């Protein structure tokens, strides 16, 4: 059973930065970060495919950067210029097959086979 372990969340002031990490026990081709704030729907924040293609939700473009190691086991989400509206529980999700549809649409939670437990990000002054 593949396990995903997230780390790096915590409190931060507006304008600050955080780096979230997700480590998988096996190499995964398509990996994503989702987030869910209280009272809001879960949304895909950033996704990286087997060929390195990345997709971001509009609200984080230019502020968040998704990357991973060559072994495709460790994925990092660097979050800059954080805003209070970025406050949420962040979850890592992964699947072995490529996300062949990624250039055409945003991922959904059910597109993935494995999920982490989540890490809380709180942005406030």
């Amino acid at each position: 059973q593949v396990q995903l372990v997230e780390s790096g969340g915590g409190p931060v002031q507006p304008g600050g930065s955080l780096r979230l990490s997700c480590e998988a026990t096996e190499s995964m081709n398509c990996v994503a970060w989702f987030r869910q704030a209280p009272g809001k729907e879960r949304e895909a924040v950033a996704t990286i495919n087997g060929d390195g293609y990345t997709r971001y939700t509009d609200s984080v473009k230019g502020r968040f950067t998704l990357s991973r190691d060559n072994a495709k086991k460790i994925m990092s989400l660097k979050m800059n210029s954080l805003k209070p509206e970025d406050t949420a529980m962040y979850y890592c999700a992964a699947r072995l097959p490529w996300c062949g549809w990624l250039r055409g649409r945003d991922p959904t939670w059910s597109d993935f086979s494995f999920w982490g437990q989540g890490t809380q990000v709180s942005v406030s002054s």
Side-chain angles (χ1 to χ4, degrees):
Q1 179 73 9
V2 175
Q3 293 186 338
L4 305 177
V5 179
E6 302 114 328
S7 61
V12 64
Q13 292 186 342
S17 299
L18 281 176
R19 182 186 295 274
L20 303 184
S21 292
C22 173
E23 184 167 359
T25 53
E26 296 180 23
S27 178
M28 295 282 114
N29 278 308
C30 185
V31 190
W33 282 99
F34 286 80
R35 68 183 178 187
Q36 188 166 23
K40 294 188 177 181
E41 291 188 358
R42 185 165 47 215
E43 66 172 342
V45 176
T47 308
I48 188 164
N49 211 352
D51 58 358
Y53 175 79
T54 54
R55 185 181 180 103
Y56 299 92
T57 192
D58 287 344
S59 63
V60 308
K61 286 180 181 177
R63 299 189 298 122
F64 291 12
T65 303
L66 182 58
S67 62
R68 68 177 170 192
D69 70 329
N70 290 335
K72 299 180 181 177
K73 288 185 176 182
I74 300 175
M75 177 180 60
S76 296
L77 182 67
K78 182 65 186 302
M79 307 185 294
N80 295 325
S81 303
L82 283 162
K83 305 175 180 180
E85 51 263 43
D86 294 317
T87 296
M89 184 71 80
Y90 284 70
Y91 299 91
C92 177
R95 53 182 269 158
L96 183 57
W98 283 41
C99 294
W101 33 260
L102 188 59
R103 293 178 186 266
R105 67 168 176 85
D106 290 327
T108 64
W109 188 254
S110 61
D111 285 326
F112 297 88
S113 304
F114 309 103
W115 304 269
Q117 295 298 309
T119 185
Q120 178 69 39
V121 172
S122 298
V123 185
S124 69
S125 54

